[in-house]
Amino acid sequence: MTINITKFEDLSDEAVILLKNDNVGFFSSFDWYENWVNSVILSENERAFFLNYFHQGELKLLTPLKFNNSTLESLTNYYSPVFQLLSNVEDNEQLHIVRNFLKGMKGVEFVWDTLILQPMEQKQVSLISNMEGVGLPSIPFFCFANWYLEVNQRSFDEYFSGLSSRVRNTVVRKTKQFNRLEGAKAEILYKGEGLEKGIKAFEAVYASSWKGEETFPDFISGLMRVAAKQGALRLGVAYINDVAIAAQVWIVADNTAYIYKLAYAEKYKNLSIGSILTATLMRYVIDIDKVDCVDYLSGDDAYKKEWMSHRRERWGIMIFNWRTWKGCLKMLNEFIRFYFKKYLL
């Protein structure tokens, strides 16, 4: 059993094949991490790398991480809707592989105090937190809610008829009003010559929205190009007289339509253009792409509940290396907060 450390550009052929495997979700794929590493600027003290866990000479687990002042964290930030430990073993082997990987973390060549993995599916966090015989104490923590829609082979009209009367009436009424405006149009861009125009339109809308300037603008534009290359991009843009007033970035992958990023110009808020564009894209991904699921990703926002059918949670886990004094101190502090927080409020 060995654990090797590599930069993204130095990944082995085995690791690249794993990241490009069809079973790896879009947000854990080679293209996702390539764009993330190239466009998200880490602080001077941080570095990004991949831990490669080998057993009997074969790569069994790949873990993308960043390292800062003896704290290990998953290679994620607010752009990352989910994180997973990447494995090429069967489901019934994963428990054994993850346990051995965590055991091996006690003997890696660098000193670490805390390992933080987030945001993850609850079942993965539960698997790690309930794992016996590892010798690394851990605490799970809540990250965010995730609203999603199970399409269940319905058409868009069947789905739409099940929404609240308020949402249906708003979409129908506002769509008619929008279509009567001179120069009004909404389009869905995928790739080709219109892609760069669409990216510029999205950036212009985002800059004029309530969200302000994007922290890492190269990440979003890079993501759209990556998704377009894969045939996964659905970029909805609404215009009035060729001026973009709303834009939404959706990604269709893993039999799912992910609603990734949306914005509208504050000036046109009264048009409910966000709802119009959402309905337009929803019709496309349900009737044309025939996805099984539509996923609003992160957030418990009220408007997401109106469009989606189910809620789940993304969690993280904090793992402590109690063999270092910093790790031991951090463990004690977090355990006090975790177990006694109701008395400290």
Side-chain angles (χ1 to χ4, degrees):
M1 179 184 71
T2 58
I3 296 180
N4 295 338
I5 304 169
T6 58
K7 294 181 179 180
F8 179 81
E9 57 269 26
D10 298 325
L11 286 171
S12 67
D13 291 341
E14 285 180 287
V16 172
I17 290 172
L18 175 56
L19 286 168
K20 291 185 176 182
N21 191 297
D22 291 339
N23 294 326
V24 170
F26 180 87
F27 300 108
S28 298
S29 66
F30 180 90
D31 287 341
W32 168 268
Y33 280 116
E34 182 178 45
N35 182 55
W36 202 101
V37 170
N38 289 340
S39 57
V40 175
I41 303 170
L42 300 178
S43 71
E44 291 183 359
N45 295 325
E46 285 183 325
R47 57 190 178 98
F49 59 84
F50 288 69
L51 289 186
N52 305 258
Y53 168 67
F54 289 88
H55 180 67
Q56 295 180 347
E58 293 186 15
L59 178 65
K60 296 296 184 180
L61 198 71
L62 187 67
T63 310
L65 297 171
K66 54 186 176 181
F67 189 45
N68 183 11
N69 294 328
S70 74
T71 296
L72 284 168
E73 296 184 66
S74 51
L75 195 58
T76 55
N77 63 2
Y78 40 80
Y79 289 135
S80 310
V82 69
F83 173 79
Q84 65 182 112
L85 300 173
L86 300 164
S87 175
N88 60 1
V89 301
E90 299 295 329
D91 290 345
N92 58 354
E93 292 183 74
Q94 286 192 1
L95 179 64
H96 175 71
I97 291 298
V98 173
R99 179 188 288 115
N100 284 346
F101 166 70
L102 291 175
K103 284 182 178 180
M105 284 298 296
K106 292 183 288 188
V108 291
E109 63 189 57
F110 54 88
V111 176
W112 64 278
D113 302 317
T114 312
L115 170 61
I116 304 171
L117 304 176
Q118 65 173 328
M120 302 176 74
E121 294 180 1
Q122 270 187 281
K123 63 180 181 180
Q124 282 204 351
V125 170
S126 296
L127 181 147
I128 296 172
S129 62
N130 295 324
M131 199 170 284
E132 298 179 354
V134 173
L136 294 172
S138 64
I139 291 179
F141 59 91
F142 173 77
C143 292
F144 51 77
N146 170 218
W147 284 89
Y148 65 102
L149 168 72
E150 292 184 353
V151 178
N152 293 324
Q153 298 181 324
R154 289 173 292 176
S155 66
F156 171 79
D157 288 337
E158 290 171 328
Y159 153 74
F160 190 70
S161 67
L163 298 181
S164 69
S165 58
R166 188 186 68 79
V167 172
R168 295 198 314 272
N169 293 336
T170 296
V171 170
V172 172
R173 185 179 74 257
K174 290 295 186 176
T175 299
K176 289 179 180 178
Q177 291 178 6
F178 176 71
N179 289 335
R180 286 197 293 266
L181 296 175
E182 183 179 353
K185 66 176 181 178
E187 60 183 16
I188 302 175
L189 303 170
Y190 320 90
K191 55 184 178 180
E193 294 180 1
L195 175 62
E196 294 304 317
K197 176 186 174 184
I199 291 175
K200 290 180 180 178
F202 174 84
E203 292 173 341
V205 170
Y206 200 89
S208 64
S209 74
W210 73 99
K211 298 187 176 184
E213 187 176 349
E214 186 64 56
T215 308
F216 300 105
D218 290 343
F219 174 84
I220 299 299
S221 59
L223 178 65
M224 286 190 270
R225 294 185 183 100
V226 163
K229 182 179 70 173
Q230 297 183 8
L233 179 66
R234 305 293 180 267
L235 173 58
V237 184
Y239 298 90
I240 293 181
N241 292 324
D242 292 325
V243 176
I245 64 170
Q248 296 187 8
V249 178
W250 291 34
I251 295 169
V252 174
D254 316 320
N255 297 317
T256 300
Y258 299 105
I259 306 175
Y260 190 80
K261 202 83 169 175
L262 50 93
Y264 59 82
E266 197 73 20
K267 177 181 176 181
Y268 298 95
K269 182 178 181 179
N270 65 320
L271 294 179
S272 296
I273 191 61
S275 296
I276 295 171
L277 209 47
T278 296
T280 300
L281 283 156
M282 193 74 80
R283 179 183 293 277
Y284 191 95
V285 300
I286 291 176
D287 288 349
I288 306 300
D289 291 316
K290 298 190 180 301
V291 297
D292 296 329
C293 177
V294 182
D295 193 332
Y296 243 128
L297 298 176
S298 63
D300 237 341
D301 310 83
Y303 70 88
K304 295 179 180 179
K305 306 174 188 179
E306 296 180 325
W307 293 88
M308 303 289 104
S309 59
H310 292 74
R311 181 187 185 274
R312 59 193 168 197
E313 295 179 349
R314 299 305 188 197
W315 281 67
I317 188 163
M318 190 177 297
I319 302 170
F320 307 99
N321 184 6
W322 57 270
R323 290 166 176 79
T324 70
W325 71 268
K326 284 185 179 180
C328 190
L329 182 60
K330 183 71 172 177
M331 177 184 69
L332 292 174
N333 287 337
E334 293 298 330
F335 269 80
I336 290 171
R337 289 177 56 191
F338 182 76
Y339 288 108
F340 299 104
K341 59 184 175 183
K342 64 180 179 180
Y343 302 109
L344 299 175
L345 293 177

